Amino acid sequence: MAVDITLLFKASVKTVKTRNKAIGIGFDSPKDEIFKRNRPKGGFSPRAKEVVTNITKLKDFLLQHRKDYVSAGSLISSDLTCMTDSERDQIDQDAQIFMRTCSEAIRQLRNEAEKQLVPAQIKEHRGVVLDLIEMYLKGVCKLYSEQRAIRVKRMVDKKRMSRMTPEQHNLVAKTPPSVTSEEKSIKEETPEKSVSEVQDVTWTDPVDPVEDKLSPEEIQMFEQENQRLESEMNNLVDEVRQIEGKVVEISRLQEIFTEKVLQQEAEIDGIHQLVVGATENVKEGNEDIREAIKNNAGFRVWILFFLVMCSFSLLFLDWYDS
């Protein structure tokens, strides 16, 4: 069985080196050194670490400003947020540039690693490292895409709600007399126009610019997000049902426990009555024992008196006969 004696070997070498240094024997050339100095590191490791550090900074930044970023157009949050739309657009632009830069750096590192003449094991190691960095970058890109999708969805919802609100106010404000007066004025000015054209002009919907800017990829992203939310809601519903079943079971057990407690309370009351009765019986028994002891003492006295009188009678008769 092999034994690791590396530490012992290092200690022995250090002892020899200290002794040689004390007697004035040194190394003439670097070739004679047993432990050579650290070789200068190549450019791959520092650059890879720098890419990982930059990706981590981007991830921390997105998570730190996630709440303010996705609150754009939220229907439940207040309009007064710490971040404006221009700042959110700037975050989008900077994040996209940052991710492209990191992707380009990973691609350059991969090309350089393939071109360098290094052993196969080192090349494989560098390839695995770059794959892991690329997966990390994809995870951060996915995080940013989810945040952006939530922001765009909330903006669309807010636009729709803001578009529906004026229409509702217009429907409430309009009355038949005003419509007829408007139609009469239009007929007097331009007899050729029909009432249908006037209604078309009145009910023209403005085109939402946000909906026009949605690309098929964003629509697909929204659909995927809706499916994910639907699955999460289904899971939540299942969990709620399980919790409801457990709560019902707990309530049933609690009712059984309450019944048992009440039953035990009645039994405890009966035991208490029995204990009280037993105590009274013990007291009466003690009184009877005392009375019996007294009676036995008097009976013994009378028996003793009878025996003494019989003894005196016999002595008297014996004296009288003699």
PDB file of all heavy atoms in Angstrom, residues 252-275:
ATOM      1  N   ARG A 252     -60.587  17.227  12.140  1.00  0.00           N
ATOM      2  CA  ARG A 252     -61.254  15.993  12.571  1.00  0.00           C
ATOM      3  C   ARG A 252     -60.538  15.381  13.781  1.00  0.00           C
ATOM      4  O   ARG A 252     -61.172  14.969  14.762  1.00  0.00           O
ATOM      5  CB  ARG A 252     -61.283  14.989  11.428  1.00  0.00           C
ATOM      6  CG  ARG A 252     -62.104  13.736  11.716  1.00  0.00           C
ATOM      7  CD  ARG A 252     -62.119  12.817  10.515  1.00  0.00           C
ATOM      8  NE  ARG A 252     -60.780  12.292  10.233  1.00  0.00           N
ATOM      9  CZ  ARG A 252     -60.258  11.243  10.864  1.00  0.00           C
ATOM     10  NH1 ARG A 252     -60.948  10.599  11.808  1.00  0.00           N
ATOM     11  NH2 ARG A 252     -59.048  10.819  10.565  1.00  0.00           N
ATOM     12  N   LEU A 253     -59.204  15.348  13.717  1.00  0.00           N
ATOM     13  CA  LEU A 253     -58.448  14.840  14.859  1.00  0.00           C
ATOM     14  C   LEU A 253     -58.638  15.710  16.096  1.00  0.00           C
ATOM     15  O   LEU A 253     -58.677  15.209  17.222  1.00  0.00           O
ATOM     16  CB  LEU A 253     -56.962  14.757  14.491  1.00  0.00           C
ATOM     17  CG  LEU A 253     -56.583  13.744  13.395  1.00  0.00           C
ATOM     18  CD1 LEU A 253     -55.109  13.868  13.040  1.00  0.00           C
ATOM     19  CD2 LEU A 253     -56.895  12.327  13.836  1.00  0.00           C
ATOM     20  N   GLN A 254     -58.769  17.020  15.870  1.00  0.00           N
ATOM     21  CA  GLN A 254     -58.986  17.915  17.007  1.00  0.00           C
ATOM     22  C   GLN A 254     -60.348  17.671  17.646  1.00  0.00           C
ATOM     23  O   GLN A 254     -60.486  17.722  18.881  1.00  0.00           O
ATOM     24  CB  GLN A 254     -58.875  19.367  16.538  1.00  0.00           C
ATOM     25  CG  GLN A 254     -58.857  20.386  17.677  1.00  0.00           C
ATOM     26  CD  GLN A 254     -58.584  21.780  17.178  1.00  0.00           C
ATOM     27  OE1 GLN A 254     -58.466  22.001  15.973  1.00  0.00           O
ATOM     28  NE2 GLN A 254     -58.504  22.726  18.098  1.00  0.00           N
ATOM     29  N   GLU A 255     -61.366  17.403  16.819  1.00  0.00           N
ATOM     30  CA  GLU A 255     -62.678  17.083  17.373  1.00  0.00           C
ATOM     31  C   GLU A 255     -62.623  15.788  18.194  1.00  0.00           C
ATOM     32  O   GLU A 255     -63.183  15.707  19.296  1.00  0.00           O
ATOM     33  CB  GLU A 255     -63.689  16.937  16.245  1.00  0.00           C
ATOM     34  CG  GLU A 255     -64.028  18.260  15.553  1.00  0.00           C
ATOM     35  CD  GLU A 255     -64.968  18.068  14.388  1.00  0.00           C
ATOM     36  OE1 GLU A 255     -65.340  16.901  14.114  1.00  0.00           O
ATOM     37  OE2 GLU A 255     -65.347  19.063  13.767  1.00  0.00           O
ATOM     38  N   ILE A 256     -61.932  14.767  17.644  1.00  0.00           N
ATOM     39  CA  ILE A 256     -61.795  13.509  18.387  1.00  0.00           C
ATOM     40  C   ILE A 256     -61.050  13.751  19.702  1.00  0.00           C
ATOM     41  O   ILE A 256     -61.428  13.225  20.765  1.00  0.00           O
ATOM     42  CB  ILE A 256     -61.068  12.462  17.531  1.00  0.00           C
ATOM     43  CG1 ILE A 256     -61.910  12.111  16.295  1.00  0.00           C
ATOM     44  CG2 ILE A 256     -60.771  11.208  18.336  1.00  0.00           C
ATOM     45  CD1 ILE A 256     -61.204  11.211  15.306  1.00  0.00           C
ATOM     46  N   PHE A 257     -59.998  14.569  19.635  1.00  0.00           N
ATOM     47  CA  PHE A 257     -59.236  14.888  20.846  1.00  0.00           C
ATOM     48  C   PHE A 257     -60.111  15.599  21.868  1.00  0.00           C
ATOM     49  O   PHE A 257     -60.040  15.321  23.079  1.00  0.00           O
ATOM     50  CB  PHE A 257     -58.033  15.753  20.462  1.00  0.00           C
ATOM     51  CG  PHE A 257     -57.184  16.157  21.623  1.00  0.00           C
ATOM     52  CD1 PHE A 257     -56.309  15.263  22.225  1.00  0.00           C
ATOM     53  CD2 PHE A 257     -57.254  17.450  22.127  1.00  0.00           C
ATOM     54  CE1 PHE A 257     -55.529  15.635  23.298  1.00  0.00           C
ATOM     55  CE2 PHE A 257     -56.480  17.831  23.201  1.00  0.00           C
ATOM     56  CZ  PHE A 257     -55.616  16.919  23.786  1.00  0.00           C
ATOM     57  N   THR A 258     -60.966  16.519  21.393  1.00  0.00           N
ATOM     58  CA  THR A 258     -61.861  17.238  22.306  1.00  0.00           C
ATOM     59  C   THR A 258     -62.849  16.282  22.963  1.00  0.00           C
ATOM     60  O   THR A 258     -63.117  16.370  24.177  1.00  0.00           O
ATOM     61  CB  THR A 258     -62.604  18.332  21.538  1.00  0.00           C
ATOM     62  OG1 THR A 258     -61.663  19.185  20.872  1.00  0.00           O
ATOM     63  CG2 THR A 258     -63.450  19.167  22.472  1.00  0.00           C
ATOM     64  N   GLU A 259     -63.417  15.365  22.159  1.00  0.00           N
ATOM     65  CA  GLU A 259     -64.337  14.383  22.721  1.00  0.00           C
ATOM     66  C   GLU A 259     -63.650  13.519  23.770  1.00  0.00           C
ATOM     67  O   GLU A 259     -64.205  13.241  24.842  1.00  0.00           O
ATOM     68  CB  GLU A 259     -64.901  13.504  21.601  1.00  0.00           C
ATOM     69  CG  GLU A 259     -65.814  14.261  20.637  1.00  0.00           C
ATOM     70  CD  GLU A 259     -66.298  13.377  19.504  1.00  0.00           C
ATOM     71  OE1 GLU A 259     -65.889  12.204  19.455  1.00  0.00           O
ATOM     72  OE2 GLU A 259     -67.083  13.859  18.660  1.00  0.00           O
ATOM     73  N   LYS A 260     -62.424  13.074  23.462  1.00  0.00           N
ATOM     74  CA  LYS A 260     -61.697  12.257  24.431  1.00  0.00           C
ATOM     75  C   LYS A 260     -61.408  13.037  25.711  1.00  0.00           C
ATOM     76  O   LYS A 260     -61.479  12.495  26.828  1.00  0.00           O
ATOM     77  CB  LYS A 260     -60.391  11.756  23.808  1.00  0.00           C
ATOM     78  CG  LYS A 260     -60.578  10.801  22.634  1.00  0.00           C
ATOM     79  CD  LYS A 260     -61.240   9.509  23.078  1.00  0.00           C
ATOM     80  CE  LYS A 260     -61.364   8.544  21.917  1.00  0.00           C
ATOM     81  NZ  LYS A 260     -62.046   7.281  22.329  1.00  0.00           N
ATOM     82  N   VAL A 261     -61.078  14.325  25.549  1.00  0.00           N
ATOM     83  CA  VAL A 261     -60.790  15.150  26.727  1.00  0.00           C
ATOM     84  C   VAL A 261     -62.037  15.296  27.592  1.00  0.00           C
ATOM     85  O   VAL A 261     -61.992  15.189  28.832  1.00  0.00           O
ATOM     86  CB  VAL A 261     -60.254  16.521  26.284  1.00  0.00           C
ATOM     87  CG1 VAL A 261     -60.225  17.498  27.459  1.00  0.00           C
ATOM     88  CG2 VAL A 261     -58.850  16.385  25.713  1.00  0.00           C
ATOM     89  N   LEU A 262     -63.202  15.541  26.947  1.00  0.00           N
ATOM     90  CA  LEU A 262     -64.443  15.645  27.702  1.00  0.00           C
ATOM     91  C   LEU A 262     -64.787  14.327  28.394  1.00  0.00           C
ATOM     92  O   LEU A 262     -65.229  14.305  29.561  1.00  0.00           O
ATOM     93  CB  LEU A 262     -65.578  16.063  26.768  1.00  0.00           C
ATOM     94  CG  LEU A 262     -65.458  17.473  26.164  1.00  0.00           C
ATOM     95  CD1 LEU A 262     -66.586  17.726  25.182  1.00  0.00           C
ATOM     96  CD2 LEU A 262     -65.465  18.535  27.252  1.00  0.00           C
ATOM     97  N   GLN A 263     -64.567  13.209  27.643  1.00  0.00           N
ATOM     98  CA  GLN A 263     -64.824  11.909  28.242  1.00  0.00           C
ATOM     99  C   GLN A 263     -63.903  11.662  29.435  1.00  0.00           C
ATOM    100  O   GLN A 263     -64.339  11.175  30.484  1.00  0.00           O
ATOM    101  CB  GLN A 263     -64.641  10.817  27.187  1.00  0.00           C
ATOM    102  CG  GLN A 263     -65.012   9.426  27.668  1.00  0.00           C
ATOM    103  CD  GLN A 263     -64.860   8.407  26.557  1.00  0.00           C
ATOM    104  OE1 GLN A 263     -64.509   8.748  25.434  1.00  0.00           O
ATOM    105  NE2 GLN A 263     -65.136   7.147  26.881  1.00  0.00           N
ATOM    106  N   GLN A 264     -62.641  12.015  29.291  1.00  0.00           N
ATOM    107  CA  GLN A 264     -61.713  11.857  30.401  1.00  0.00           C
ATOM    108  C   GLN A 264     -62.070  12.777  31.566  1.00  0.00           C
ATOM    109  O   GLN A 264     -61.865  12.430  32.735  1.00  0.00           O
ATOM    110  CB  GLN A 264     -60.292  12.132  29.928  1.00  0.00           C
ATOM    111  CG  GLN A 264     -59.724  11.056  29.010  1.00  0.00           C
ATOM    112  CD  GLN A 264     -58.327  11.379  28.534  1.00  0.00           C
ATOM    113  OE1 GLN A 264     -57.785  12.419  28.879  1.00  0.00           O
ATOM    114  NE2 GLN A 264     -57.761  10.493  27.733  1.00  0.00           N
ATOM    115  N   GLU A 265     -62.621  13.951  31.247  1.00  0.00           N
ATOM    116  CA  GLU A 265     -63.028  14.856  32.321  1.00  0.00           C
ATOM    117  C   GLU A 265     -64.143  14.235  33.150  1.00  0.00           C
ATOM    118  O   GLU A 265     -64.137  14.302  34.395  1.00  0.00           O
ATOM    119  CB  GLU A 265     -63.486  16.180  31.707  1.00  0.00           C
ATOM    120  CG  GLU A 265     -63.850  17.231  32.749  1.00  0.00           C
ATOM    121  CD  GLU A 265     -64.271  18.540  32.099  1.00  0.00           C
ATOM    122  OE1 GLU A 265     -64.296  18.585  30.849  1.00  0.00           O
ATOM    123  OE2 GLU A 265     -64.572  19.489  32.829  1.00  0.00           O
ATOM    124  N   ALA A 266     -65.122  13.593  32.468  1.00  0.00           N
ATOM    125  CA  ALA A 266     -66.193  12.918  33.210  1.00  0.00           C
ATOM    126  C   ALA A 266     -65.637  11.772  34.042  1.00  0.00           C
ATOM    127  O   ALA A 266     -66.029  11.584  35.216  1.00  0.00           O
ATOM    128  CB  ALA A 266     -67.249  12.402  32.232  1.00  0.00           C
ATOM    129  N   GLU A 267     -64.698  11.015  33.441  1.00  0.00           N
ATOM    130  CA  GLU A 267     -64.099   9.913  34.191  1.00  0.00           C
ATOM    131  C   GLU A 267     -63.298  10.431  35.390  1.00  0.00           C
ATOM    132  O   GLU A 267     -63.307   9.829  36.477  1.00  0.00           O
ATOM    133  CB  GLU A 267     -63.202   9.096  33.283  1.00  0.00           C
ATOM    134  CG  GLU A 267     -63.973   8.339  32.196  1.00  0.00           C
ATOM    135  CD  GLU A 267     -63.053   7.587  31.263  1.00  0.00           C
ATOM    136  OE1 GLU A 267     -61.816   7.713  31.416  1.00  0.00           O
ATOM    137  OE2 GLU A 267     -63.570   6.886  30.383  1.00  0.00           O
ATOM    138  N   ILE A 268     -62.615  11.548  35.205  1.00  0.00           N
ATOM    139  CA  ILE A 268     -61.844  12.131  36.312  1.00  0.00           C
ATOM    140  C   ILE A 268     -62.776  12.595  37.420  1.00  0.00           C
ATOM    141  O   ILE A 268     -62.481  12.439  38.623  1.00  0.00           O
ATOM    142  CB  ILE A 268     -60.971  13.286  35.781  1.00  0.00           C
ATOM    143  CG1 ILE A 268     -59.835  12.728  34.921  1.00  0.00           C
ATOM    144  CG2 ILE A 268     -60.401  14.102  36.924  1.00  0.00           C
ATOM    145  CD1 ILE A 268     -59.062  13.786  34.176  1.00  0.00           C
ATOM    146  N   ASP A 269     -63.939  13.169  37.061  1.00  0.00           N
ATOM    147  CA  ASP A 269     -64.914  13.568  38.084  1.00  0.00           C
ATOM    148  C   ASP A 269     -65.400  12.348  38.867  1.00  0.00           C
ATOM    149  O   ASP A 269     -65.546  12.399  40.106  1.00  0.00           O
ATOM    150  CB  ASP A 269     -66.083  14.288  37.418  1.00  0.00           C
ATOM    151  CG  ASP A 269     -65.677  15.642  36.848  1.00  0.00           C
ATOM    152  OD1 ASP A 269     -64.695  16.234  37.361  1.00  0.00           O
ATOM    153  OD2 ASP A 269     -66.336  16.112  35.896  1.00  0.00           O
ATOM    154  N   GLY A 270     -65.676  11.234  38.127  1.00  0.00           N
ATOM    155  CA  GLY A 270     -66.113  10.016  38.822  1.00  0.00           C
ATOM    156  C   GLY A 270     -65.039   9.484  39.755  1.00  0.00           C
ATOM    157  O   GLY A 270     -65.330   9.063  40.895  1.00  0.00           O
ATOM    158  N   ILE A 271     -63.773   9.524  39.262  1.00  0.00           N
ATOM    159  CA  ILE A 271     -62.674   9.073  40.121  1.00  0.00           C
ATOM    160  C   ILE A 271     -62.544   9.957  41.352  1.00  0.00           C
ATOM    161  O   ILE A 271     -62.294   9.478  42.471  1.00  0.00           O
ATOM    162  CB  ILE A 271     -61.363   9.045  39.308  1.00  0.00           C
ATOM    163  CG1 ILE A 271     -61.437   7.956  38.225  1.00  0.00           C
ATOM    164  CG2 ILE A 271     -60.171   8.798  40.214  1.00  0.00           C
ATOM    165  CD1 ILE A 271     -60.301   8.000  37.236  1.00  0.00           C
ATOM    166  N   HIS A 272     -62.774  11.268  41.171  1.00  0.00           N
ATOM    167  CA  HIS A 272     -62.695  12.188  42.309  1.00  0.00           C
ATOM    168  C   HIS A 272     -63.776  11.859  43.342  1.00  0.00           C
ATOM    169  O   HIS A 272     -63.510  11.846  44.559  1.00  0.00           O
ATOM    170  CB  HIS A 272     -62.858  13.620  41.809  1.00  0.00           C
ATOM    171  CG  HIS A 272     -62.871  14.640  42.897  1.00  0.00           C
ATOM    172  ND1 HIS A 272     -61.763  14.952  43.660  1.00  0.00           N
ATOM    173  CD2 HIS A 272     -63.885  15.426  43.379  1.00  0.00           C
ATOM    174  CE1 HIS A 272     -62.069  15.875  44.543  1.00  0.00           C
ATOM    175  NE2 HIS A 272     -63.363  16.177  44.401  1.00  0.00           N
ATOM    176  N   GLN A 273     -64.986  11.572  42.864  1.00  0.00           N
ATOM    177  CA  GLN A 273     -66.058  11.209  43.792  1.00  0.00           C
ATOM    178  C   GLN A 273     -65.719   9.914  44.528  1.00  0.00           C
ATOM    179  O   GLN A 273     -65.963   9.787  45.742  1.00  0.00           O
ATOM    180  CB  GLN A 273     -67.376  11.061  43.014  1.00  0.00           C
ATOM    181  CG  GLN A 273     -67.877  12.347  42.375  1.00  0.00           C
ATOM    182  CD  GLN A 273     -68.229  13.407  43.406  1.00  0.00           C
ATOM    183  OE1 GLN A 273     -68.621  13.091  44.539  1.00  0.00           O
ATOM    184  NE2 GLN A 273     -68.066  14.670  43.026  1.00  0.00           N
ATOM    185  N   LEU A 274     -65.159   8.956  43.763  1.00  0.00           N
ATOM    186  CA  LEU A 274     -64.769   7.695  44.402  1.00  0.00           C
ATOM    187  C   LEU A 274     -63.691   7.908  45.453  1.00  0.00           C
ATOM    188  O   LEU A 274     -63.708   7.288  46.534  1.00  0.00           O
ATOM    189  CB  LEU A 274     -64.298   6.702  43.346  1.00  0.00           C
ATOM    190  CG  LEU A 274     -65.370   6.192  42.367  1.00  0.00           C
ATOM    191  CD1 LEU A 274     -64.733   5.313  41.300  1.00  0.00           C
ATOM    192  CD2 LEU A 274     -66.445   5.412  43.122  1.00  0.00           C
ATOM    193  N   VAL A 275     -62.731   8.785  45.146  1.00  0.00           N
ATOM    194  CA  VAL A 275     -61.662   9.070  46.110  1.00  0.00           C
ATOM    195  C   VAL A 275     -62.222   9.733  47.357  1.00  0.00           C
ATOM    196  O   VAL A 275     -61.845   9.405  48.504  1.00  0.00           O
ATOM    197  CB  VAL A 275     -60.587   9.939  45.449  1.00  0.00           C
ATOM    198  CG1 VAL A 275     -59.600  10.464  46.489  1.00  0.00           C
ATOM    199  CG2 VAL A 275     -59.843   9.144  44.395  1.00  0.00           C
TER     200      VAL A 275
END
